[in-house]
């Protein structure tokens, strides 16, 4: 079985962090976002991952070439981004008779095995994982029969119709036959073009609604990124957290993860809901909470970082307060202003 991961988007809503890296490589609790999807595939016995790359493809290719993924991973590149369906068509040679397709910017505890079984039982050509969220307007909406048969797919509606309370969770099982519906070499969207076309032609498209509570979150914006960090730290997913350094002369307020190679000064406070990446330096008496500090960043003595994302190698001077909602690009620098 093969899992195709769509990782070629521009990640515009996560700028400035995605000026220098693709969204799939954004570190989330000290692991690239892509790690969580590969781990999900691996766990469900999917032996082969295909990454549909476009924007910033070199970095993803280098990540794959660095090995250690515990499964076969290949990249298929689009010269020009072909959209969410065009990317699938472009990877056709790597795909078998039935395959998974996952959006590459989310973390989820979806039971791929159960979804595949449901897909086969229904004889579907496409099965779409669906779930409920508080605000469905930012997602694809699915209207369906009680038995799962999809009636309508509506991408991003400001006023969602009342009978379309489930959203597209960005995970599909597909039959190879659907590739014939996608024109080769053209920009084509699954959400706007492929699904509506299949539904118009009466093709069996089904929704799969996993029973019970299951973790699912996308990492579309900085706000959602920090919410995702929080959920992972709280242990609300099945993904194990990476090892954290034990405090020596500084305070760790759980939940928090501090990479073993970070240097933390005396009396600093890390957490709750904080992540400190490899090679970071946090000065004496500094406070970092509800925040993610990425690899190689520095936080000066007595500085406060709260509710912020600090890009790789950024430097925050002593005594500076970086407040809620701040997103600092890689290598940026902030110093406290001192009048002489
Ligand atoms: N290879 C490739 N080529 N990948 C692409 C392209 C492309 O041209 N365009 C987008 N992608 C990838 C993105 O990198 C992302 O991982 C995924 O496809 C979905 O694109 P987004 O741009 O993140 O879409 P969205 O978040 O607005 O909406 C999608 O996800 C929602 C769930 O998070 C839709 O599928 C919605 O229906 C869904 O509810
Ligand atoms: Mg998205």
């Amino acid at each position: 079985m093969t899992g195709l991961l769509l990782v070629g988007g521009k990640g515009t809503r996560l700028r400035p962090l995605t000026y220098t890296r693709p969204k799939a490589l954004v570190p989330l609790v000290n692991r690239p976002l892509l790690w969580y999807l590969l781990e999900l595939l691996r766990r469900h016995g999917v032996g082969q991952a295909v990454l549909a790359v476009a924007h910033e493809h070199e970095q993803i290719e280098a990540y794959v070439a660095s090995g250690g993924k515990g499964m076969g991973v290949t990249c298929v590149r689009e010269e020009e981004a072909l959209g969410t369906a065009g990317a699938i068509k472009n990877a056709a040679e790597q795909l078998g008779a039935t395959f998974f397709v996952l959006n590459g910017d989310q973390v989820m505890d979806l039971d791929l095995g159960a979804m595949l079984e449901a897909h086969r039982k229904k004889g579907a050509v496409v099965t779409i994982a669906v779930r409920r969220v508080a605000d469905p307007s930012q997602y694809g909406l699915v209207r369906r029969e009680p038995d799962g048969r999809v009636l309508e797919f509506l991408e991003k509606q400001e006023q969602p119709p009342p009978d379309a309370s489930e959203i597209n969770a960005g995970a599909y099982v597909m039959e190879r036959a659907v590739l014939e519906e996608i024109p080769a070499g053209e920009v084509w969207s699954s959400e706007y073009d492929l699904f509506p076309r299949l539904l118009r032609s009466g093709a069996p498209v089904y929704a799969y609604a996993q029973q019970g509570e299951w973790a699912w979150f996308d990492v579309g914006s900085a706000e959602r990124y920090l919410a995702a960090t929080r959920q992972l730290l709280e242990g609300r997913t099945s993904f194990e957290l990476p090892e954290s350094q034990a405090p020596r002369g500084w305070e760790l307020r759980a939940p928090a993860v501090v990479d073993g190679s970070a240097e933390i000064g005396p009396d600093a406070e890390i957490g709750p809901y904080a992540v400190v990446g490899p090679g970071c330096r946090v000065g004496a008496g500094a406070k970092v909470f509800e925040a993610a500090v990425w690899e190689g960043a520095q936080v000066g003595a007595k500085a406060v970082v709260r509710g912020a994302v600090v890009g790789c190698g950024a430097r925050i001077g002593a005594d500076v307060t970086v407040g809620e909602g701040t997103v600092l690009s890689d290598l940026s620098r902030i110093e406290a202003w001192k009048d002489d």
Side-chain angles (χ1 to χ4, degrees), residues 167-314:
I167 63 136
N168 167 23
Y172 322 113
V173 183
M174 289 190 182
E175 289 302 307
R176 193 170 183 83
V178 303
L179 297 180
E180 280 158 33
E181 304 294 324
I182 310 172
E186 274 181 44
V187 177
W188 245 58
S189 154
S190 293
E191 297 84 348
Y192 289 104
D193 304 313
L194 178 64
F195 299 154
R197 174 188 281 214
L198 288 170
L199 291 167
R200 271 196 306 271
S201 71
V205 176
Y206 278 82
Y208 172 73
Q210 185 159 307
Q211 294 304 299
E213 282 290 310
W214 57 288
W216 177 91
F217 37 87
D218 72 312
V219 182
S221 63
E223 202 186 342
R224 287 205 200 138
Y225 171 86
L226 285 175
T229 303
R230 196 180 172 110
Q231 296 195 53
L232 283 163
L233 289 174
E234 281 174 342
R236 286 212 256 143
T237 76
S238 65
F239 298 98
E240 262 178 45
L241 297 178
E243 244 175 76
S244 181
Q245 199 184 123
R248 283 169 312 219
W250 53 274
E251 192 181 342
L252 187 142
R253 297 189 169 182
V257 168
V258 176
D259 186 84
S261 63
E263 280 176 38
I264 314 292
D267 301 321
E269 283 175 25
I270 312 288
Y273 308 111
V275 177
V276 176
C280 287
R281 276 160 55 187
V282 177
K287 290 188 167 78
V288 177
F289 56 108
E290 291 159 19
V293 181
W294 291 5
E295 184 164 1
Q298 296 184 23
V299 178
K302 295 200 168 134
V304 177
V305 180
R306 174 196 184 162
V309 187
V310 180
C312 289

Side-chain angles (χ1 to χ4, degrees), residues 14-311:
L14 258 186
R15 283 176 182 169
L17 299 166
T18 42
Y19 279 132
T20 39
R21 64 179 63 71
K23 189 153 59 166
L25 294 186
V26 159
L28 184 64
V29 193
N30 291 343
R31 286 182 175 125
L33 180 49
L34 184 52
W35 180 90
Y36 296 90
L37 287 168
L38 293 174
E39 172 69 13
L40 181 80
L41 292 176
R42 206 171 22 228
R43 232 183 239 182
H44 290 281
V46 178
Q48 190 66 34
V50 180
L51 309 186
V53 297
H55 177 71
E56 304 275 3
H57 60 90
E58 298 88 347
Q59 292 185 49
I60 298 183
E61 286 156 359
Y63 172 71
V64 168
S66 69
K69 307 293 176 294
M71 66 193 303
V73 186
T74 46
C75 293
V76 177
R77 193 200 313 171
E78 294 141 59
E79 289 307 326
E80 297 281 332
L82 289 172
T84 47
I88 305 172
K89 178 80 171 186
N90 190 57
E93 268 181 35
Q94 307 291 327
L95 304 171
T98 308
F99 49 90
F100 293 106
V101 177
L102 308 179
N103 284 352
D105 60 343
Q106 51 206 27
V107 174
M108 57 186 163
D109 273 327
L110 180 64
D111 186 342
L112 296 179
M115 181 173 169
L116 178 61
E117 206 183 302
H119 172 85
R120 293 210 159 119
K121 243 189 216 158
K122 299 285 185 193
V125 291
V126 176
T127 296
I128 302 172
V130 298
R131 66 174 287 120
R132 290 175 196 279
V133 292
D135 173 15
S137 64
Q138 298 304 307
Y139 299 100
L141 296 168
V142 175
R143 275 187 56 235
R144 64 162 171 114
E145 301 274 20
D147 75 343
R149 180 113 188 191
V150 175
L151 300 168
E152 200 175 13
F153 188 98
L154 298 156
E155 184 65 12
K156 300 195 183 81
Q157 306 284 307
E158 267 181 36
Q159 299 274 302
D163 61 340
S165 54
E166 286 170 324
I167 63 136
N168 167 23
Y172 322 113
V173 183
M174 289 190 182
E175 289 302 307
R176 193 170 183 83
V178 303
L179 297 180
E180 280 158 33
E181 304 294 324
I182 310 172
E186 274 181 44
V187 177
W188 245 58
S189 154
S190 293
E191 297 84 348
Y192 289 104
D193 304 313
L194 178 64
F195 299 154
R197 174 188 281 214
L198 288 170
L199 291 167
R200 271 196 306 271
S201 71
V205 176
Y206 278 82
Y208 172 73
Q210 185 159 307
Q211 294 304 299
E213 282 290 310
W214 57 288
W216 177 91
F217 37 87
D218 72 312
V219 182
S221 63
E223 202 186 342
R224 287 205 200 138
Y225 171 86
L226 285 175
T229 303
R230 196 180 172 110
Q231 296 195 53
L232 283 163
L233 289 174
E234 281 174 342
R236 286 212 256 143
T237 76
S238 65
F239 298 98
E240 262 178 45
L241 297 178
E243 244 175 76
S244 181
Q245 199 184 123
R248 283 169 312 219
W250 53 274
E251 192 181 342
L252 187 142
R253 297 189 169 182
V257 168
V258 176
D259 186 84
S261 63
E263 280 176 38
I264 314 292
D267 301 321
E269 283 175 25
I270 312 288
Y273 308 111
V275 177
V276 176
C280 287
R281 276 160 55 187
V282 177
K287 290 188 167 78
V288 177
F289 56 108
E290 291 159 19
V293 181
W294 291 5
E295 184 164 1
Q298 296 184 23
V299 178
K302 295 200 168 134
V304 177
V305 180
R306 174 196 184 162
V309 187
V310 180

